[in-house]
Amino acid sequence: MHRSELTIDLGAIRHNARRLLEALAGGELWAVVKADGYGHGAGDAARAALDGGARALCVATVQEGIALRESEPEARIVVMSPAEEVAAAREARLELVVSGGEIPSDVPVHLKLDTGMGRWGLSELPQPPANVVGLMSHLATADYDPAFALRQVERFREATQPYSHLTRHLANSAAALRLPDARFDAARCGIALYGISPFEADPAEDGLRPALSWRSRLAQVRVLQPGESTGYGRRFVAERPTWIGIVPVGYADGFRRDMTGTEVLVDGEPRRAVGTVSMDAFAVGLDRELPAGTPVTIVGDGLLIERHAEAAGTIGYEIACGIGSDPSRTRRVVVD
Ligand SMILES: *Cc1c(COP(=O)(O)O)cnc(C)c1O
């Protein structure tokens, strides 16, 4: 038996794509499936997003684009990070984002303008050569500072005004959902497609449905006597006789060390992860003896990835991308 099981619900991804399209009110949805579809599986996520109405796929690297091309011979695929492998991109019929240096020819190009992200991007748009198909920028604060985001929107609008025949795309998930001014012709949405909130809130607030669940079982149940501890560093010491369960999932699977203290569902009831998370296992506190094999839900059944992100002081994106996909450790099941 596998130590844990990931379930990817393609119906949820299709639903989220349709929800985003509704929010975009006429703009195109481009599905961001970089980093193996934020841990959900790029190929499956891409197919579901296209079925849900997405018109293009966005990846980070040429390698990701080439891998996706095999399962999606027809789709538009845009590589968002600066890429040097122009010939390979051309061969795989990818589109490239250019944010500096020479503009390659014979390949569709999107010019990226820096309007305030302060990362990649041109500070000014050159006269676009004929192979430029799109103009884009990226928002730094769409999730929490709409005032700054709107300044970026205005800079983008001004700079791209003369080229409104090109596809202009600026919005990410947060902007697609809550910043109508940032819509333009297309939006590049990742996190919301997977039903994870870009606002660190409950995704249901924006009509989104989580696509991933992650389940395991108690591998062992034991009682700690007062003074006994579980895990490295003795960070949890029992004060009274305490039942604990061992879940065979650890930081090598993406259950991070800083998720100690977060809650998981043991037989449907919230139970706290106690002691130091180790590479292959973590412990949960129980209020009674339970049989080995009792189901544990780490994500799903109403328990949100956002809660673990909060416990770890990070964002849902990072937890999702970090969930291990090694098939020798985790079984992956796709439901349609
Ligand atoms: C990752 C990425 C996105 C998607 O952002 P979400 O917040 O996941 O919707 C959009 N644009 C660029 C340039 C990105 O790198």
Side-chain angles (χ1 to χ4, degrees), residues 83 86 90 96 98 100-109 129 131:
V86 177
R90 200 179 283 128
L96 294 180
V98 171
E102 292 218 345
I103 301 175
S105 52
D106 298 339
V107 61
V109 161
N131 62 320

Side-chain angles (χ1 to χ4, degrees), residues 32 34 38 80 112 119 136-138 171-174 188-192 198 317:
V32 179
K34 62 190 175 186
Y38 294 39
M80 297 188 298
K112 184 169 187 177
R119 205 172 56 173
M136 64 182 281
S137 188
H138 196 33
N172 54 9
S173 296
R188 306 177 307 270
C189 299
I191 200 77
Y317 296 73

Side-chain angles (χ1 to χ4, degrees), residues 232-250:
Y232 288 113
R234 307 196 70 227
R235 279 169 51 194
F236 177 80
V237 181
E239 287 170 8
R240 59 190 78 82
T242 304
W243 286 102
I244 59 162
I246 307 298
V247 184
V249 172

Side-chain angles (χ1 to χ4, degrees), residues 40-58:
H40 291 62
D44 292 323
R47 178 83 322 253
L50 292 168
D51 288 344
R55 300 289 294 278
L57 304 169
C58 302

